[in-house]
Amino acid sequence: MKLPKVTLDIESRLREFDVWITPALGEIRDTERFREELDAAVETFERMGEATGKFTSPDNCDPDAIADAFLKYAEELDFDDASSSLAELASILFLATGKSDNNAKCQLPLYLRDQVKLTTIPTVVKSRNMKPSVTTKDGGIPRVLTTDRYMEVVAAMKGAPHHQKIFLNHFIKFLLSDDRYVAQLWSIGHSYFALKSFGKERDFLSPLVVFKIRGSVAASGGHNPEALLRDRLKEWGLQPGIDFNLADVPLSVLEQLIAGKAAATPAKGEGVKKKAKTRAYDFVLPYKTAGAHRRVLVQSQFYAGDAGSVSHKNVDQTTSSRVKVRAFLPDAVFAEYVDGAGYFSSLNGDLERLLEMEGSEFFQIRSAPVRLRRELQHAGFLTPLEVQQATYRVTVPRREKVAGVLKAEGYSEEEIGRTLQGSLSRGLLAEEGPTLAPRREDRDMVRRYLLLDVAAAKGEDHDPTSDQSGLVMVPGYGPFHGIKGLDLIKVAKALAPGLASQLDQSEVMLADLDWLKAQKMTL
């Protein structure tokens, strides 16, 4: 159902932000990447344990023995798996010594040239059957030599085990270049096997793995707020690549999209053009949907901690971006997707600056189902979820009755026809004789969203010091906005007669309210 607009002062908006804040998006330890890396680290230490007598003495940390153990294992693997196994050995050695691939890729060529006295490094080539081998045809030692590239060379030397061992030895000795580094490796390995007797070896390695991957998990969206929002958009019936974009949209691409030109998809490398003093838009809603709509342009900033210099720069770029967009899209709606403990603490001033910008709306992870949907609704964009809800808001949900509900809310006939027909063709609406209904698997979700909308549209502001027991609190209308549970049921039954029998069932209502709370849409 269409959510009413509201005007809040800056103080109320900031207070609401604090109430509905998402401090963090989860632990790195909860990601699939962490589990994979931890498994690989355990396997690597087990293999090194075979070579070192379970790290009984620093003297056992012999590069020859370690190289033998890993190459013996690599014999049974294909090229890609062998390369990965050797790269994991390298990553553990980096952790143990405190060195990094970023430095090593520059220092390794000099080590091979000046200390090992090599004059050439083989390169990997693949024949027509994709079987890898090495060649020294090009000659020379590159100025930059990454660990991955080096280990691919070692893995490809499978047919020359003597040289394969020599090259792996060079790398291990490069990292274990003095007794202190050997002692550090031994200390970690010895502790691993000592704790293994207590079943705590994985706990011991966990901080090392977190330290290793935390930057890449953040960069690759291990807990990506954009991914969470895309899941919500799909929940509302929006189509990826049509109703919303899947990659950032730079201003140049956005302008082409508005002009109706073909290049409405970011070309390869387009995102690099962010070097200009403007930011790309994380979401353009609607994106390529047919029809006339105002567009909601979303920029996303989630800071779980202090990222001051980045945040200040993004705030400055937000202003310049909007000026440029207004030149070719004067009716654009701007919404900031902002969240995280950083905005509660050290970046609170940046948040205030964003919210003070003229015409600036915001939403958080938890408030997107109210705040972002409200912006889309008032931009004239009708989602399949609103159509599904409308089937419950009339006693007999014939097509013309459903369309009448939506027309009364201000949607155009063209938009109603587009979304109705699209929902039917995609199976989001089921035709049951002359009547319409949401598809069976969506019905619980549609009912729950309707309860959320009723609480938002019919709720009231409450004194935070008063008794709030029995209240269903929702975001979007101030810090303490909600409705009593019994009143919610009564109003929902009146507004959605098609749901009256379901809302009379206490089990259904309790399950619905529990779901909304579990999804963190309500308090």
Side-chain angles (χ1 to χ4, degrees):
M1 60 185 293
K2 196 164 190 176
L3 299 166
K5 274 283 198 179
V6 65
T7 301
L8 299 172
D9 58 34
I10 187 66
E11 182 181 353
S12 296
R13 299 169 88 195
L14 289 169
R15 289 173 66 204
E16 181 189 317
F17 184 94
D18 290 350
V19 170
W20 294 93
I21 197 166
T22 304
L25 290 177
E27 297 285 342
I28 290 177
R29 292 174 300 177
D30 297 332
T31 64
E32 182 64 26
R33 171 76 185 281
F34 171 80
R35 290 189 287 270
E36 292 173 352
E37 291 284 350
L38 181 57
D39 288 343
V42 167
E43 187 175 324
T44 300
F45 271 100
E46 291 293 331
R47 196 158 300 119
M48 282 198 290
E50 296 172 5
T52 61
K54 297 184 178 179
F55 292 91
T56 50
S57 165
D59 294 336
N60 290 344
C61 296
D62 177 50
D64 284 345
I66 294 173
D68 282 338
F70 278 83
L71 292 177
K72 180 180 179 182
Y73 174 72
E75 285 180 8
E76 309 299 324
L77 303 176
D78 62 23
F79 171 73
D80 290 335
D81 288 341
S83 299
S84 296
S85 175
L86 295 171
E88 183 60 28
L89 166 64
S91 72
I92 295 299
L93 293 176
F94 282 134
L95 284 173
T97 60
K99 298 180 181 181
S100 71
D101 184 35
N102 196 43
N103 290 333
K105 68 183 180 183
C106 302
Q107 297 168 1
L108 180 58
L110 295 174
Y111 171 82
L112 296 174
R113 186 195 71 181
D114 298 338
Q115 297 191 42
V116 181
K117 305 300 181 182
L118 289 182
T119 58
T120 185
I121 290 289
T123 55
V124 178
V125 294
K126 292 184 179 180
S127 59
R128 290 183 178 179
N129 62 5
M130 298 303 291
K131 186 176 181 180
S133 60
V134 291
T135 179
T136 56
K137 180 179 178 181
D138 294 333
I141 296 178
R143 291 180 177 272
V144 175
L145 185 55
T146 65
T147 299
D148 286 345
R149 179 181 172 187
Y150 192 89
M151 291 310 181
E152 286 179 352
V153 169
V154 175
M157 289 182 169
K158 201 170 186 178
H162 175 71
H163 291 91
Q164 186 181 39
K165 180 179 176 180
I166 289 175
F167 268 83
L168 184 55
N169 252 328
H170 289 329
F171 187 88
I172 298 173
K173 289 178 179 178
F174 163 68
L175 293 182
L176 300 179
S177 55
D178 64 39
D179 291 342
R180 290 174 302 167
Y181 294 133
V182 173
Q184 288 170 205
L185 175 62
W186 172 80
S187 297
I188 296 174
H190 185 76
S191 300
Y192 171 87
F193 283 100
L195 289 168
K196 187 176 180 180
S197 62
F198 299 98
K200 298 295 183 182
E201 73 278 10
R202 296 177 76 89
D203 295 327
F204 172 69
L205 292 182
S206 289
L208 296 176
V209 173
V210 169
F211 180 80
K212 173 187 173 185
I213 68 172
R214 61 184 176 182
S216 59
V217 167
S220 64
H223 297 295
N224 192 340
E226 287 82 9
L228 296 176
L229 183 56
R230 289 187 192 100
D231 288 341
R232 285 288 179 225
L233 297 176
K234 287 185 280 189
E235 194 171 73
W236 308 340
L238 275 61
Q239 299 180 83
I242 299 175
D243 298 318
F244 64 92
N245 51 296
L246 294 171
D248 291 358
V249 180
L251 291 186
S252 58
V253 175
L254 177 62
E255 188 170 8
Q256 291 174 338
L257 175 66
I258 300 307
K261 296 181 180 179
T265 301
K268 186 176 181 181
E270 187 79 42
V272 177
K273 296 181 182 179
K274 289 185 185 180
K275 290 181 180 179
K277 299 296 183 181
T278 56
R279 296 182 62 209
Y281 284 93
D282 297 287
F283 291 90
V284 176
L285 303 168
Y287 182 42
K288 297 181 182 179
T289 313
H293 314 91
R294 296 180 67 191
R295 281 192 166 82
V296 179
L297 306 181
V298 176
Q299 288 184 323
S300 172
Q301 300 179 50
F302 187 100
Y303 297 122
D306 185 356
S309 60
V310 177
S311 177
H312 304 335
K313 180 179 178 182
N314 285 343
V315 172
D316 293 339
Q317 290 176 355
T318 296
T319 302
S320 59
S321 293
R322 292 184 179 187
V323 170
K324 293 187 177 183
V325 170
R326 293 288 189 202
F328 62 85
L329 191 60
D331 65 346
V333 178
F334 297 99
E336 298 299 315
Y337 182 25
V338 288
D339 215 342
Y343 279 120
F344 178 82
S345 51
S346 57
L347 304 180
N348 201 246
D350 283 354
L351 174 65
E352 186 170 356
R353 286 177 61 198
L354 282 172
L355 300 191
E356 285 177 337
M357 291 181 184
E358 183 181 356
S360 181
E361 280 299 339
F362 80 96
F363 63 96
Q364 295 160 269
I365 290 170
R366 300 175 65 183
S367 64
V370 172
R371 280 186 162 275
L372 179 58
R373 279 179 60 235
R374 183 174 63 196
E375 293 307 314
L376 295 176
Q377 291 169 354
H378 287 270
F381 180 57
L382 182 58
T383 71
L385 174 60
E386 320 304 335
V387 177
Q388 289 175 318
Q389 284 185 345
T391 64
Y392 288 130
R393 295 174 59 197
V394 290
T395 306
V396 181
R398 295 178 181 272
R399 183 172 181 141
E400 64 274 12
K401 295 286 187 182
V402 172
V405 169
L406 299 168
K407 187 174 181 180
E409 290 188 327
Y411 295 105
S412 70
E413 290 186 5
E414 293 79 10
E415 183 68 359
I416 294 169
R418 178 193 71 80
T419 313
L420 261 173
Q421 189 55 48
S423 298
L424 284 166
S425 63
R426 294 170 57 204
L428 301 178
L429 280 181
E431 288 188 281
E432 300 176 350
T435 62
L436 302 176
R439 66 179 177 181
R440 193 166 300 278
E441 58 265 40
D442 288 345
R443 293 178 186 180
D444 286 345
M445 184 267 296
V446 172
R447 185 181 63 247
R448 290 161 179 169
Y449 264 94
L450 190 135
L451 289 173
L452 176 72
D453 293 351
V454 171
K458 303 301 179 181
E460 298 176 341
D461 294 339
H462 292 269
D463 184 342
T465 63
S466 64
D467 181 15
Q468 296 182 23
S469 59
L471 286 174
V472 179
M473 308 292 287
V474 296
Y477 294 88
F480 303 103
H481 181 88
I483 189 172
K484 291 183 178 179
L486 290 176
D487 292 339
L488 174 60
I489 298 172
K490 292 177 184 177
V491 176
K493 286 168 62 177
L495 291 174
L499 288 174
S501 61
Q502 296 178 51
L503 296 175
D504 276 335
Q505 301 176 45
S506 58
E507 296 90 343
V508 172
M509 276 299 302
L510 288 173
D512 288 353
L513 294 177
D514 284 347
W515 184 86
L516 289 169
K517 185 170 287 189
Q519 295 290 310
K520 299 184 179 180
M521 298 182 191
T522 63
L523 292 175

